[in-house]
Amino acid sequence: MSDDILLRLMTVLASRKDADPESSYVAGLYHKGLDSILKKIGEESAETIIAAKSGDKQQVVYETADLWFHCLVMLAQQNIDARLVLEELERRFGVSGIDEKAAREHSK
């Protein structure tokens, strides 16, 4: 398994931004715009939930990969480096979820 899959995906997703929508699924999503990307994330989220409820572990893995992929597409479309999400997860690591949520609510 490759540890650099995130970087490789980010590179490919960035390269598809200016590609012909007929040449690539991702280019087609970019061409359709944010609403289409978000709709796809919603669909993949629902499919992941259904897979989890079914108890089919392989299907859960498959659907989660689809969900994560489409989230990466959304991040790229928004010009957000996916590593920022990893940094946020790193920042939260070891912090109580209750404490972290309280801190976010306090800063609003």
Side-chain angles (χ1 to χ4, degrees), residues 41 49 71 82:
I41 290 172
I49 291 166
C71 287

Side-chain angles (χ1 to χ4, degrees), residues 2-85:
S2 178
D3 290 340
D4 66 347
I5 189 64
L6 180 65
L7 295 176
R8 291 178 17 220
L9 275 170
M10 286 172 37
T11 300
V12 170
L13 294 175
S15 75
R16 298 292 195 268
K17 281 187 168 184
D18 298 319
D20 177 358
E22 300 294 321
S23 70
S24 144
Y25 170 74
V26 171
L29 281 175
Y30 288 142
H31 181 74
K32 291 175 187 173
L34 181 60
D35 285 348
S36 289
I37 295 167
L38 297 176
K39 180 179 176 189
K40 195 65 186 167
I41 290 172
E43 291 170 5
E44 297 301 343
S45 177
E47 290 172 6
T48 302
I49 291 166
I50 292 166
K53 293 287 284 180
S54 78
D56 182 339
K57 290 182 181 183
Q58 184 55 44
Q59 195 64 26
V60 172
V61 169
Y62 179 85
E63 296 299 347
T64 301
D66 281 351
L67 176 58
W68 288 7
F69 176 81
H70 287 90
C71 287
L72 290 171
V73 171
M74 182 257 321
L75 289 171
Q77 190 273 346
Q78 296 285 300
N79 296 313
I80 298 171
D81 190 314
R83 289 172 288 200
L84 293 173
V85 177

